[in-house]
Amino acid sequence: VIRNVQWSQSTAILDIGCGSGYLTAAFHELMLNEGLTPRVIGIDRIHPIVDFARENIQRDRPMALQSGQIILK
Protein backbone atom coordinates (compact mmCIF):
# COMPACT_ATOMS: atom_id res chain seq x y z
CA VAL A 1 0.00 0.00 0.00
CA ILE A 2 1.32 3.40 -0.94
CA ARG A 3 0.38 6.19 1.45
CA ASN A 4 1.60 9.69 2.11
CA VAL A 5 3.87 9.76 -0.92
CA GLN A 6 5.21 13.15 -1.91
CA TRP A 7 5.13 12.71 -5.67
CA SER A 8 7.51 14.63 -7.92
CA GLN A 9 8.74 14.32 -11.50
CA SER A 10 11.84 12.53 -10.15
CA THR A 11 9.79 9.83 -8.39
CA ALA A 12 10.54 6.28 -9.51
CA ILE A 13 9.05 3.02 -8.25
CA LEU A 14 10.99 -0.23 -7.84
CA ASP A 15 8.85 -3.39 -7.90
CA ILE A 16 10.99 -6.13 -6.37
CA GLY A 17 9.75 -9.59 -7.30
CA CYS A 18 7.60 -8.28 -10.15
CA GLY A 19 6.11 -11.69 -10.99
CA SER A 20 3.40 -11.39 -13.65
CA GLY A 21 3.95 -7.63 -14.00
CA TYR A 22 0.48 -6.81 -12.70
CA LEU A 23 1.66 -4.46 -9.93
CA THR A 24 4.38 -3.01 -12.14
CA ALA A 25 1.66 -1.98 -14.62
CA ALA A 26 -0.56 -0.76 -11.76
CA PHE A 27 2.28 1.44 -10.45
CA HIS A 28 2.66 2.85 -13.98
CA GLU A 29 -1.04 3.69 -14.06
CA LEU A 30 -0.86 5.24 -10.58
CA MET A 31 1.93 7.58 -11.66
CA LEU A 32 0.00 8.55 -14.80
CA ASN A 33 -3.03 9.35 -12.64
CA GLU A 34 -0.82 11.61 -10.50
CA GLY A 35 0.12 13.57 -13.62
CA LEU A 36 3.69 12.30 -13.65
CA THR A 37 5.88 10.74 -16.29
CA PRO A 38 6.07 7.17 -14.98
CA ARG A 39 9.37 5.50 -14.17
CA VAL A 40 8.76 1.98 -12.92
CA ILE A 41 11.36 -0.77 -12.69
CA GLY A 42 10.25 -4.34 -12.17
CA ILE A 43 12.84 -6.92 -11.18
CA ASP A 44 12.69 -10.63 -10.50
CA ARG A 45 15.46 -13.14 -9.94
CA ILE A 46 13.76 -15.76 -12.12
CA HIS A 47 14.38 -14.84 -15.76
CA PRO A 48 11.37 -16.74 -17.23
CA ILE A 49 9.14 -14.77 -14.84
CA VAL A 50 10.59 -11.51 -16.16
CA ASP A 51 9.82 -12.70 -19.69
CA PHE A 52 6.26 -13.52 -18.57
CA ALA A 53 5.86 -10.02 -17.09
CA ARG A 54 7.25 -8.47 -20.28
CA GLU A 55 4.73 -10.41 -22.41
CA ASN A 56 1.84 -9.34 -20.16
CA ILE A 57 2.81 -5.68 -20.13
CA GLN A 58 3.62 -5.70 -23.85
CA ARG A 59 0.09 -6.89 -24.55
CA ASP A 60 -1.57 -4.10 -22.51
CA ARG A 61 0.96 -1.24 -22.48
CA PRO A 62 3.46 -1.66 -25.33
CA MET A 63 4.37 2.04 -25.38
CA ALA A 64 5.30 1.95 -21.68
CA LEU A 65 7.97 -0.64 -22.45
CA GLN A 66 9.10 0.95 -25.72
CA SER A 67 9.43 4.38 -24.14
CA GLY A 68 11.34 3.08 -21.13
CA GLN A 69 8.64 4.18 -18.66
CA ILE A 70 8.57 0.54 -17.55
CA ILE A 71 11.85 -1.37 -17.35
CA LEU A 72 11.97 -5.08 -16.54
CA LYS A 73 15.11 -6.89 -15.41
Side-chain angles (χ1 to χ4, degrees):
V1 177
I2 298 177
R3 294 185 184 160
N4 300 322
V5 174
Q6 294 183 8
W7 299 100
S8 73
Q9 283 299 333
S10 63
T11 299
I13 295 176
L14 177 61
D15 181 11
I16 299 172
C18 65
S20 69
Y22 178 82
L23 285 178
T24 307
F27 290 141
H28 179 267
E29 185 69 22
L30 176 68
M31 292 186 80
L32 283 174
N33 290 341
E34 290 293 326
L36 302 171
T37 301
R39 294 184 331 153
V40 183
I41 301 168
I43 62 172
D44 205 296
R45 66 181 187 88
I46 302 171
H47 296 288
I49 297 293
V50 175
D51 294 337
F52 179 57
R54 184 172 286 109
E55 290 169 9
N56 288 335
I57 294 171
Q58 180 68 31
R59 190 172 44 246
D60 188 45
R61 302 171 190 278
M63 293 305 296
L65 287 171
Q66 293 170 7
S67 68
Q69 292 179 350
I70 294 178
I71 297 171
L72 298 169
K73 295 185 178 208

